[in-house]
Structure formats: structure tokens, C-alpha cells
Amino acid sequence: MPQRRHLVASAIVVLLLALLALLPLAGSRYAVDLATEVLIYALFALSLNVIIGFTGNISFGHAAYFAIGGYACAILLTTYNWPLLFALPAAVVLAGLVAAVVGYFCVRLTQIYFAMLTLAFAMLVWGVAFKWKAVTGGDDGFTGIKLPAMLAHYIGFFYFTLAVVSVGTAALWVICHSAFGLTLVAVRENAVRAGFIGVDTRRMRWAAFTVAGTFGGLAGALFGMYHRGMYIENAFWTESANVLIMVLLGGIYSFVGPIFGAAALHLLQTFTNQYTPYWPTVLGLILLVIVMVLPEGLIGLAARLKARRGKP
Amino acid sequence: MKYSVMLAAVGVFAAGAAVAQQPIRIGVLYPLTGGGAVYGVPAMAGHQLAVEELNAKGGILGRKIESIERDDKLNPASASSTMKELITKDKVDIVLGGLASSVGLAMSEVSKQEKVVYISTIPKSIQITTDKLHKYVFRTSANTDQEGDTMAMLAGKNKLSKICHLELDYAYGNDLEVGILKALPKYAPDAKIVLTLKPKLGATDFNPFIPQVMAAGCDGVLSGLWGPHFVSWVKQAAPLGFFNKIKWISGGEIGSHEIAGELKGEYPDNVISNAYELWYHGNDPSHAAFQARLAKKLNTQETPQWAALGYIGVMYAAAAMEKAKSTDPDKVAEALEGLSIGTPVGKLTIDAKTHQANIGQFWGPMVKKPDRAYRIMEPAEYIQPK
């Protein structure tokens, strides 16, 4: 039985990738751009879920690593003229390093104190991006990011994003389903018990924090390159809240949940904006529904529907 | 009789054929929600007024205009996504708008990548028409160098010798400061800046700053505190007698009726400031008619100045397409270079090199009038950059 499930899952993944790869053939530039945006947010949400879903702590400051990755990649590419081959990995490593330092302090706390500390560090990053005008452009933003000619075309960039996000997602899947990932779940479920078994819970959570920051940085780097600009708003707490809602909407107890959450929220936001400027109202309603009716997100809903159908 | 009916029918058909032509699509972004809506909503009203008027006259190049309006959310990344969507999905021929400097720069970046003309109608960031200038971006609002230049000139004219300088600590404030410092030696070579303070954007408590300015012994303040910042400063400083001796020369359009109408009797003495447009005072014969139409649309006699900026943006887009006889972005961009048009604030010309329109502003002291509950700018001098 589990083997059959794996087979079905692999088939779905392959089918989805094939569909995405064929998307540019449909000829709609808009659809390709939208898919690129969704892919980037999906990776961002997946990275955050390593902290939320697997260690059970809420981070209110995940935009910090997104911004560090984005700004670092933008600055290395544009100000220092680094080739993408070095700029992108360097930006990701930098985001990971900062996450490691911040995480070192944050994992000493749990629950609300943890969340507050992540928020505090994120506002610190925002402050640096705002004040360090000579390097980051301050609140004018950092625009005019240079890209290799191959990625300057939207289809080239789409395939690049698809490849990077696929590799990133695969890497996160392996990490989350390794012994390390399972240990994290154990820590989430009962930290005291996990500690008694001999798990260094703090170190586990620290590692998870670093992994999340690293992949968040990767998403940020893609985001900056896609928009050809990074802005201090990307480091602000509202961006952290946005990705948090994506994760909650998708479902925190499932690996793929955040992907669906990111797609649903971003597409909904984009389409709503075409009809009314009152997106915040819609967002409020979505949040309400998640908290009151769908605590386990879209994935939880799907599972519930399936279970109901399964009954005689 | 029969013939006339048939003729009329033919006429209707011919008109129908002309209407069936693809409309010209103008994309526009202003902040319509949140903190920027106070400015974005009136600007959008001016934009709509221009589109309605043009459509009543048959549109552009005989084609109807379709205006596709979006909220920029005062967020550059969001504006960038939305502008891309307007270009790739809605196939707009030109994009107008923006308010914040960062949003203007983000939109300019999309315009450069997508090779679609963008006319920046409110953002003042000097970078748009200097470091980040490219073929497809134009500006019909003032910039911080022009505003700083006029403020320095007024400092010289009012014989300020010891100046306190107040700017908000963000892009606009920092750029305006540069503009003022550049021009000050030219107009007021003997003036000295004795104190520079930079409150935060969005600050509401100015109590830490007010005593410092009062103790610095300056005879004048050069200020970039706009809108709510100025209102808060007045409410906190006026009771201390702050405005009794100090001349307050300010950019940021606090001479506009929006601020005068909000502060009413609390509006202090000794303020010299600017406004893009004043509903009660025109410098061009066409202003009165424009203001009357706007008043009818907004259902108030006291119309906001931002509408004129939205209006002028559309006028420029239309004039450029008519001149180019095309909506092709390359041709429209070429047509915009050096283009002069008549607007409610007089004749404007876009410089062919810098892509900056020589739009001026009304500058003058805000004075009390016995028959009015609010102050008005009098005499209001229209100062246009050379």
C-alpha cells in the first residue's frame, strides 16, 4: 500500500513538472510571469514551514532572510558585477549564516517569546536595509539589477526559477524526511520526551532555523532578480506575515501544504486586485476562515473531504 | 424623410465601425487604500476626469480610451507586479501614476524592461530623471532639485541668516535636503544652517524637536514636513509661540487647500509654502473651466490639488500619441521629448534630454482672510523652473 502511494505521488510530481515546463508553449506571457511569482512564493513558504510545521514554533521574521538573500544577490550582481554562478550561492550562504546567528539566540526561547525575538531581528534587518542607503538604496529601493542575457527573457527566467525551485523543494523534502526531519517532528510533538531520549532539542531547532533561513534567502534572491529590484518593504514584518498566512492557509502539518497555500493566496491576491483595491478585507476573511474552520489549512480540508467520502 | 433615416443609419454604422476599433488602453496606478489614499484617490479622480473629457471628444486618434486602474498599495514590489500584469495581460499602451519615490523607481524599472512608456505623475525622486533615466520614462511632477532650488531662493529673498533645517528621514527628505544645499550658496551666500533635524517618516510626536529649534536662535526654518507631519508640528509647536518670530519656508505642498482646510483657524502665521494647484487661484485661462468640471465631479467647490497631476499625466499621454500618430512606445517616447502642451496650470514642456516637465508650483505666504474660515495663499506666485 505505501508503495502504491509513493508511485502515485511521484506520478503527480512528474505530471506537475511537465505541465509547468510546457506552460510557456501556451503563449501567454502573463501566465508564465504569474507562474514564476507563484514558484518563488512557494519556495519561500516551504522554507518557513521547516520552522513552523516541523519544529512547532511560529516565526514572525522570516522576511529577513528573504530580504538578505535578495539584497545580497542584487548587490553582488549589480554593484560588484559578480557572475550569477557565484552571486546566487554567496547570497544564499549569507542568508543561511545570518539565520544561524539569529537562530542561535532565538531557539533559546519558545512560543510567543521565540516569535517576538524573530520579529525583533527581522526589524533589525529592515533597519539596516533602510539606513544603509549607500549600499541598499534605502527606501528608494535597489533597482536596475543586472542579469545574464539568458535570464533577461521571461521564458529563460521562468525555466531558471522552475529549476531552482524544484531543486530547492527536492532538497527540503529530503531534509524534512530524513532522520533529522523526523527528529524535529518528535521535538515538536513533545520536546521534553525527545530530550529524555537524548535529542539535543535546542540544537535541532537551531539547525532547522538555519535551513529555513537558507532556503528563504534562495527565494529572496529569485524574487529580486525577477522584479529587477529589492525594496525595504520586502524586509518589513508585513512580508513575514504574508508568508506566514500562506503557510497557515496551505496547512502546516503537510510538506506540500505551503505550496498550495502560496499559490492560492498569491493568485487570489492578484485576481482580487483586478476588481477591487480592498484586498486587506479579503485577506481578513481568509484568515478568519483558516482560524475558525480550517486550522489545518487546505491540505487538512482535502484530507477531511477524502475521509468523509471514504465512509459508507 | 426616408433618405434622411437611411443616411442616419449609415452614419450610425460608420460610427459603429469606428467604435469597434480597439480602444487605447491606459494603465494607471495610484495608492487607493492605506496611508497614501489621501493623495492617490484625488489623483485618480483627475485621471478619470481627463479620460472622460477625451472620450467625449472622440478619444485619442479617433479611438476610445479605456483606463485600467489599479491600487499600487504604496508598495514597490506590488506595483511592479501589477504594472507587469497591466502590460502583459491587459496590453496597455502606456502606464501613468505612482506616488512614493520607491514605487516610481520600481515602475520605471518595469518600463525599462518591458519597453513601455511610463509617465511619473507624482513621484519626486530626482533619480528617476537622472541616474535611473532611460528612454521610456518621463516625469510631469516637480522634482526635489526644483523644489529645493525654490526654497533656497525664498530663503534668500526673506533674508534668512540663521537657518534651521527640518527634513523627514527618508528618500524624499534626504533628496530635498540635497537640492536645498546645492542651491543655497547661490541665493543666500551669507545664510548659515545652524541646526539640521530629521524626524522619522510618519512621526506624530515632535516634542523632542520643537525646543531644539526654538533654542537654536534661527530666524527661519526650511522644512520638508508634509501633510500630517506639518499638522502635528503645528498643533504641538504653535501653543509655545513657535511661529511668532520664525519664518517657516516649506516644501511638501503644505500651502495646498487640503492642509489649509484641515487646520483652518489653527494654521500658523509666517508660513510660506507651495501647492501644485489652488482651486481659488489660476495662472491660466483654462484653469477656471477645469476647476469647475472637477468640482462637479467631486461634488465640492474646494477641490484637492492632486487631481491636476493625474489630469496632466493623461493630457500628456494623449498629446504624445496624437503627435506620434501611433501608440508604438518608441514613437510615443520620441514624441514626448520636447513636447509642449497647454494644461490647467499653463503651458508645460518636457525637456528632451532629462525627460522632466517644467511644471512649476504656486508659492506664497498663507494669509488670513476676514470672509473665510481657512487661510489662502496670497499672493500666489507661479514659479516654474527655467
Side-chain angles (χ1 to χ4, degrees):
Chain A
M1 197 60 184
Q3 260 175 353
R4 211 186 115 203
R5 244 186 92 188
H6 277 186
L7 215 63
V8 171
S10 319
I12 290 174
V13 169
V14 169
L15 197 71
L16 206 68
L17 277 177
L19 273 178
L20 276 171
L22 292 175
L23 184 69
L25 296 181
S28 165
R29 160 83 197 272
Y30 177 57
V32 173
D33 277 351
L34 210 53
T36 311
E37 289 175 10
V38 167
L39 281 169
I40 294 171
Y41 280 120
L43 181 62
F44 188 24
L46 274 173
S47 73
L48 175 60
N49 199 35
V50 177
I51 300 177
I52 297 183
F54 286 83
T55 76
N57 286 297
I58 297 275
S59 164
F60 274 126
H62 204 48
Y65 314 103
F66 186 74
I68 289 170
Y71 270 114
C73 188
I75 291 164
L76 291 175
L77 280 172
T78 315
T79 314
Y80 296 100
N81 275 315
W82 280 28
L84 183 66
L85 199 63
F86 298 118
L88 183 60
V92 173
V93 168
L94 183 70
L97 281 176
V98 175
V101 174
V102 171
Y104 177 78
F105 297 101
C106 290
V107 296
R108 276 146 207 280
L109 306 170
T110 53
Q111 294 169 2
I112 187 79
Y113 304 101
F114 171 86
M116 285 296 119
L117 201 55
T118 56
L119 176 64
F121 276 111
M123 290 313 287
L124 218 63
V125 170
W126 177 84
V128 170
F130 178 37
K131 277 293 188 185
W132 203 8
K133 201 171 158 85
V135 174
T136 63
D139 50 352
D140 274 338
F142 189 98
T143 58
I145 296 174
K146 285 183 200 155
L147 279 188
M150 197 186 76
L151 300 185
H153 194 263
Y154 74 96
I155 293 183
F157 194 80
F158 170 73
Y159 282 122
F160 176 69
T161 306
L162 183 61
V164 171
V165 171
S166 303
V167 171
T169 307
L172 279 173
W173 197 89
V174 169
I175 292 170
C176 290
H177 291 80
S178 64
F180 166 66
L182 296 176
T183 314
L184 286 180
V185 174
V187 174
R188 176 192 81 197
E189 289 302 317
N190 195 331
V192 178
R193 217 165 176 185
F196 271 112
I197 302 170
V199 175
D200 186 342
T201 55
R202 192 179 280 176
R203 219 162 112 197
M204 283 292 146
R205 287 170 52 228
W206 185 24
F209 197 96
T210 309
V211 167
T214 307
F215 285 90
L218 181 59
L222 288 172
F223 181 89
M225 287 190 279
Y226 170 74
H227 282 291
R228 301 285 188 100
M230 277 305 287
Y231 308 96
I232 55 167
E233 284 80 354
N234 299 128
F236 206 53
W237 66 266
T238 46
E239 191 79 28
S240 298
N242 202 41
V243 68
L244 184 61
I245 296 169
M246 285 175 176
V247 171
L248 292 176
L249 177 62
I252 56 171
Y253 296 119
S254 139
F255 177 79
V256 294
I259 300 179
F260 292 104
L265 197 76
H266 186 66
L267 294 178
L268 211 58
Q269 176 167 10
T270 303
F271 297 141
T272 310
N273 200 35
Q274 291 171 12
Y275 297 100
T276 161
Y278 296 106
W279 165 248
T281 316
V282 180
L283 186 64
L285 290 174
I286 293 174
L287 254 178
L288 221 93
V289 171
I290 298 175
V291 175
M292 315 253 312
V293 193
L294 296 173
E296 284 171 25
L298 294 173
I299 292 292
L301 177 73
R304 238 191 287 168
L305 288 177
K306 205 171 144 195
R308 186 173 292 177
R309 224 179 22 190
K311 276 182 202 157
Chain B
M1 184 64 199
K2 255 186 196 165
Y3 282 113
S4 63
V5 170
M6 273 171 73
L7 265 174
V10 168
V12 167
F13 269 113
V19 170
Q21 247 186 340
Q22 277 282 326
I24 286 179
R25 293 199 173 87
I26 297 181
V28 56
L29 279 88
Y30 286 114
L32 303 177
T33 52
V38 194
Y39 313 97
V41 170
M44 191 64 97
H47 173 94
Q48 290 165 343
L49 181 68
V51 170
E52 285 159 17
E53 284 177 24
L54 284 166
N55 271 339
K57 284 186 212 151
I60 304 173
L61 299 168
R63 289 159 64 184
K64 283 271 174 231
I65 306 167
E66 191 182 326
S67 165
I68 302 171
E69 295 152 7
R70 296 280 184 271
D71 184 9
D72 76 15
K73 300 179 185 169
L74 218 58
N75 179 322
S78 167
S80 163
S81 278
T82 309
M83 182 165 163
K84 267 192 190 177
E85 176 188 290
L86 288 175
I87 293 166
T88 59
K89 177 174 154 287
D90 301 301
K91 312 263 186 274
V92 296
D93 298 296
I94 192 165
V95 181
L96 313 176
L99 179 107
S101 292
S102 55
V103 169
L105 285 161
M107 290 175 73
S108 170
E109 186 64 30
V110 177
S111 137
K112 184 168 128 193
Q113 299 305 333
E114 306 296 333
K115 299 186 170 41
V116 168
V117 174
Y118 162 53
I119 301 179
S120 159
T121 53
I122 303 185
K124 279 183 181 165
S125 164
I126 187 71
Q127 289 184 55
I128 294 176
T129 46
T130 53
D131 309 350
K132 302 274 166 81
L133 180 68
H134 57 85
K135 188 182 171 186
Y136 300 98
V137 69
F138 296 85
R139 185 201 336 251
T140 53
S141 56
N143 64 46
T144 45
D145 275 7
Q146 296 170 354
E147 197 171 22
D149 193 84
T150 312
M151 285 171 70
M153 191 264 282
L154 289 169
K157 212 169 156 185
N158 286 284
K159 303 201 170 47
L160 299 189
S161 58
K162 288 173 86 182
I163 296 173
C164 287
H165 196 169
L166 291 176
E167 294 292 355
L168 294 173
D169 188 13
Y170 82 114
Y172 166 69
N174 292 322
D175 287 351
L176 183 58
E177 182 185 22
V178 172
I180 291 173
L181 294 183
K182 229 184 325 192
L184 208 53
K186 188 167 62 174
Y187 296 107
D190 304 324
K192 249 199 216 123
I193 293 183
V194 293
L195 177 72
T196 302
L197 293 176
K198 293 195 165 181
K200 288 207 170 357
L201 174 67
T204 49
D205 177 12
F206 293 106
N207 286 312
F209 301 102
I210 294 165
Q212 289 188 59
V213 178
M214 292 180 78
C218 39
D219 47 11
V221 171
L222 293 178
S223 157
L225 306 190
W226 48 268
H229 305 93
F230 175 69
V231 171
S232 300
W233 184 285
V234 167
K235 296 205 168 170
Q236 290 156 32
L240 307 173
F242 182 91
F243 289 93
N244 295 350
K245 282 183 195 151
I246 294 176
K247 269 247 176 314
W248 182 276
I249 297 174
S250 176
E253 290 86 32
I254 58 157
S256 65
H257 182 70
E258 288 94 307
I259 304 299
E262 185 181 346
L263 279 170
K264 292 213 174 73
E266 284 182 89
Y267 204 104
D269 293 324
N270 284 324
V271 175
I272 301 174
S273 185
N274 57 340
Y276 276 109
E277 189 256 359
L278 298 164
W279 65 266
Y280 48 79
H281 177 81
N283 61 330
D284 190 82
S286 70
H287 177 262
F290 160 77
Q291 202 275 326
R293 293 191 300 269
L294 186 64
K296 199 175 152 208
K297 182 175 172 68
L298 297 180
N299 213 5
T300 167
Q301 185 53 37
E302 300 165 10
T303 53
Q305 58 158 356
W306 304 102
L309 294 180
Y311 187 85
I312 291 169
V314 180
M315 302 278 286
Y316 253 114
M321 286 176 184
E322 292 284 2
K323 184 181 164 196
K325 295 196 172 46
S326 159
T327 55
D328 178 69
D330 288 280
K331 288 182 186 157
V332 172
E334 278 158 31
L336 276 166
E337 293 181 349
L339 183 61
S340 293
I341 64 165
T343 73
V345 292
K347 187 182 153 194
L348 299 184
T349 305
I350 287 184
D351 188 275
K353 270 213 192 83
T354 63
H355 291 192
Q356 167 72 49
N358 64 338
I359 191 167
Q361 293 202 319
F362 294 95
W363 289 86
M366 300 299 289
V367 295
K368 266 188 206 148
K369 284 274 149 185
D371 56 332
R372 297 189 202 240
Y374 43 81
R375 291 197 180 222
I376 65 166
M377 191 190 288
E378 198 178 87
E381 187 189 356
Y382 195 69
I383 300 179
Q384 231 171 334
K386 276 139 221 138

